């Protein structure tokens, strides 16, 4: 991961921790444009969108993240977003 991507992700985390979720989402969007193969950036985007009450967008971001790097945590994030989007069957599949 490049220094620029790491700085961008750190800024995203700082904004979220400060309560500026919209700002964090904006930075995460820039980060995924800068590094489209960075699973962490896609996860940060998904988490921000989910916090903003946009589960459909979060599902897409978490799907991108899981496609790049599979892990139980990424599947759990995807499952939660699917559940909040109302797709219970797909959420159950993601949690298995």
């Amino acid at each position: 991961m490049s220094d620029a991507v790491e700085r961008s992700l750190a800024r995203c985390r700082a904004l979220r921790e400060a309560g500026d979720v919209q700002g964090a989402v904006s930075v995460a969007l820039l980060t995924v444009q800068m590094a489209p193969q960075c699973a962490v950036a896609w996860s940060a985007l998904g988490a921000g969108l989910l916090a903003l009450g946009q589960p459909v967008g979060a599902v897409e971001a978490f799907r991108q993240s899981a496609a790049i790097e599979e892990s139980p945590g990424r599947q759990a994030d995807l499952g939660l977003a699917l559940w909040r989007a109302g797709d219970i069957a797909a959420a159950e599949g993601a949690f298995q």
Side-chain angles (χ1 to χ4, degrees):
M1 185 178 317
S2 74
D3 287 344
V5 172
E6 287 184 20
R7 282 191 305 273
S8 187
L9 289 170
R11 177 76 176 135
C12 185
R13 278 189 299 275
L15 288 166
R16 280 224 39 203
E17 289 171 4
D20 185 0
V21 179
Q22 184 60 58
V25 167
S26 295
V27 172
L29 280 168
L30 293 172
T31 308
V32 298
Q33 290 172 354
M34 183 177 15
Q37 292 302 312
C38 180
V40 176
W42 284 105
S43 287
L45 178 59
L49 291 171
L50 202 55
L52 288 176
Q54 299 176 24
V56 174
V59 165
E60 294 310 313
F62 287 134
R63 278 192 175 133
Q64 287 289 335
S65 179
I68 294 165
E69 183 181 304
E70 290 185 37
S71 75
R74 296 195 196 295
Q75 285 301 117
D77 290 340
L78 176 58
L80 177 60
L82 285 162
W83 179 74
R84 288 203 182 156
D87 193 343
I88 305 305
E92 288 175 353
F95 286 127
Q96 292 180 358

